[in-house]
Amino acid sequence: MEEKRPIIRLDHVTKRYGDNTVVRNVNLDIYEGEFFTMLGSSGCGKTTTLRMIAGFEELSEGNIYLENEDVGNMPPYKRNVNTVFQSYALFPHMNVYKNVAFGLVEKKMKKEEIHEKVTEILNLVQLSGFEKRMPSQMSGGQKQRVAIARALVNNPKVLLLDEPLGALDLKLRKQMQLELKHLQQQLGITFVYVTHDQEEALTMSDRIAIMNNGVFEQIGTAKEIYEHPKTKFVADFIGESNVFEANVSEVKEDGSLKLIMEYGDMEAYGDGFEQNEIVYASIRPESVKCSLEPVNGFNIRGMVKEHIYIGSIIRTTIELPNGQLVKKCAQPDDDFKPVGSLVYLHWSPDKTVVMHTNEDKLYDLIDAGE
Ligand SMILES: Nc1ncnc2c1ncn2[C@@H]1O[C@H](COP(=O)(O)OP(=O)(O)OP(=O)(O)O)[C@@H](O)[C@H]1O
Ligand SMILES: [Mg+2]
């Protein structure tokens, strides 16, 4: 297979403010034409990472390459990237046309050529006819499209977007998500997108990096991350899951594991685990089943506490003897047991995701880029 060439490479990038390390030894390749999203909660280092790629922030350690060129000492305006920030940052005293044309005027491009480009881009973001409007006379979504047009008109190879839809209401945000995704596909530009909204990330991205405390805990497609979270943080952050602490009592020859908890046993698959290691076992609510008798390899007992009907599915809570609550969701007629029933929980062993609890091991895996 031909190896894809990264358009952006972060090589052991670290950023410190004083004693505070906010981005820790990040290795990352982003490929041409990709919609790449950094997802994580407030303060985890997303904006800092984006600003280092744009050149607004110096690195404490490591290197950044754009199309194989070391851009460590290159000022922002020389990098073939453009940034769209959360606040629209339009020039309030300029109309839409002048806002979009600004970069081209600075570049001393010919008037006719500017006109052609601005017209084309405004058409693309569906703002033809708005040329003479002032920013104060436009809605949030329209202003954000002007900001995007202003970045796109420079024909960047890469567009960096820092929570560009954060200020919009939910309905407009959903609409703009689709518009942006289409625009990106249409233009084939590489998008590096920052958000703390997991649904937004899942909707738009080719790949997502889950960031926590200055580290990328996992990078992958939405499906990979949802189905095979590598860490407890990722399992908790994306969608819902039940996480159990368990001891690996047996590593069988076929690669399967026997896990023992204080209040039950389960089977699972996983590589790289040792006998007697304490692990987390994560299972999605939609995989949890219950029955009145133990089912092969599983012996976890609980009591049905509550059912909540949400349209076509039922969300059930089951309480284990130690008080831990297990979430289950299913179609109403699948293995339904009334509130108060004593049940045995089970699921297909390949639905269990087993994770190390040991942080050193975890960060070894992350450093190895696995
Ligand atoms: N100029 C600075 N000086 C000192 N600390 C800073 C500076 N800029 C950011 N930080 C700190 O670095 C950490 C990461 O900040 P960053 O802005 O990258 O977070 P973020 O993931 O973008 O968060 P949010 O979702 O809230 O925008 C935070 O703890 C922040 O306080
Ligand atoms: Mg930020």
Side-chain angles (χ1 to χ4, degrees):
M1 211 173 77
E2 195 186 336
E3 205 182 325
K4 282 190 290 181
R5 235 184 45 175
I7 190 162
I8 302 174
R9 168 165 284 177
L10 273 63
D11 180 19
H12 295 89
V13 169
T14 292
K15 177 69 184 178
R16 279 184 289 267
Y17 292 111
D19 290 343
N20 188 13
T21 305
V22 300
V23 175
R24 276 200 281 169
N25 198 22
V26 164
N27 291 309
L28 171 67
D29 283 349
I30 298 174
Y31 298 99
E32 197 159 353
E34 196 171 24
F35 196 122
F36 187 89
T37 299
M38 293 189 245
L39 173 67
S41 41
S42 184
C44 70
K46 306 180 295 294
T47 296
T48 306
T49 306
L50 210 63
R51 286 174 60 82
M52 289 192 287
I53 298 173
F56 296 122
E57 208 73 64
E58 280 185 24
L59 319 189
S60 305
E61 275 173 46
N63 281 310
I64 292 183
Y65 301 87
L66 297 176
E67 297 186 291
N68 285 344
E69 187 181 5
D70 183 343
V71 296
N73 296 312
M74 192 186 276
Y77 68 93
K78 286 202 174 157
R79 304 185 184 194
N80 200 358
V81 302
N82 266 257
T83 313
V84 177
F85 298 99
Q86 171 167 2
S87 54
Y88 320 112
L90 299 179
F91 302 117
H93 57 286
M94 290 185 190
N95 66 24
V96 168
Y97 184 93
K98 286 186 175 159
N99 260 288
V100 175
F102 184 79
L104 305 180
V105 173
E106 291 280 289
K107 281 190 202 154
K108 307 220 173 355
M109 198 179 265
K110 283 206 213 97
K111 240 183 167 171
E112 304 82 62
E113 210 176 332
I114 293 179
H115 184 76
E116 196 179 312
K117 282 198 164 255
V118 173
T119 306
E120 184 193 334
I121 290 287
L122 284 178
N123 191 22
L124 201 64
V125 298
Q126 297 171 32
L127 282 178
S128 302
F130 284 75
E131 288 81 355
K132 297 221 161 66
R133 289 271 194 110
M134 300 303 279
S136 61
Q137 301 168 319
M138 302 178 84
S139 75
Q142 289 164 342
K143 276 189 273 194
Q144 196 52 288
R145 275 184 273 162
V146 177
I148 290 161
R150 198 175 56 177
L152 288 176
V153 83
N154 296 314
N155 218 2
K157 281 241 165 179
V158 174
L159 191 59
L160 308 176
L161 303 107
D162 193 353
E163 310 228 16
L165 310 181
L168 308 180
D169 69 46
L170 187 63
K171 188 159 171 243
L172 191 53
R173 200 157 76 216
K174 295 217 175 239
Q175 182 194 332
M176 286 284 294
Q177 285 170 4
L178 295 178
E179 285 179 18
L180 263 183
K181 175 80 189 162
H182 291 153
L183 201 60
Q184 187 264 342
Q185 285 170 337
Q186 209 173 333
L187 297 173
I189 299 179
T190 309
F191 271 33
V192 184
Y193 195 93
V194 162
T195 181
H196 60 264
D197 179 340
Q198 59 153 300
E199 197 182 318
E200 185 161 299
L202 296 172
T203 309
M204 302 175 82
S205 321
D206 295 317
R207 280 192 308 153
I208 303 171
I210 310 285
M211 199 168 188
N212 180 30
N213 209 359
V215 167
F216 287 174
E217 294 221 351
Q218 188 166 359
I219 300 173
T221 64
K223 187 171 176 339
E224 282 163 6
I225 289 176
Y226 187 82
E227 291 180 1
H228 304 286
K230 288 226 168 86
T231 67
K232 181 169 184 284
F233 177 83
V234 173
D236 281 340
F237 197 77
I238 295 284
E240 269 194 305
S241 38
N242 298 295
V243 179
F244 304 98
E245 204 174 301
N247 186 304
V248 180
S249 76
E250 207 182 326
V251 180
K252 296 185 188 162
E253 277 187 1
D254 64 354
S256 66
L257 308 171
K258 188 171 166 62
L259 305 182
I260 296 195
M261 301 181 291
E262 181 192 349
Y263 39 80
D265 309 338
M266 68 173 97
E267 291 202 344
Y269 292 99
D271 287 335
F273 297 97
E274 291 161 18
Q275 193 167 2
N276 289 326
E277 181 179 347
I278 303 289
V279 293
Y280 292 124
S282 165
I283 181 82
R284 300 285 180 192
E286 63 269 23
S287 301
V288 174
K289 309 236 176 308
C290 58
S291 59
L292 296 174
E293 299 294 330
V295 173
N296 44 5
F298 282 76
N299 181 18
I300 305 170
R301 267 192 307 170
M303 186 198 270
V304 179
K305 291 282 283 186
E306 187 178 47
H307 293 295
I308 297 173
Y309 290 80
I310 304 170
S312 58
I313 61 161
I314 296 191
R315 302 174 71 86
T316 301
T317 309
I318 295 135
E319 187 173 358
L320 303 186
N322 68 342
Q324 181 175 355
L325 300 176
V326 178
K327 290 169 276 192
K328 169 184 190 306
C329 73
Q331 309 279 327
D333 40 7
D334 278 359
D335 67 357
F336 180 86
K337 305 286 178 297
V339 170
S341 306
L342 286 169
V343 293
Y344 288 89
L345 299 182
H346 62 99
W347 46 84
S348 164
D350 60 6
K351 297 284 186 195
T352 314
V353 178
V354 187
M355 297 169 287
H356 296 288
T357 50
N358 177 324
E359 285 226 335
D360 293 344
K361 239 178 207 156
L362 209 104
Y363 286 119
D364 283 351
L365 283 177
I366 289 166
D367 286 344
E370 284 184 30

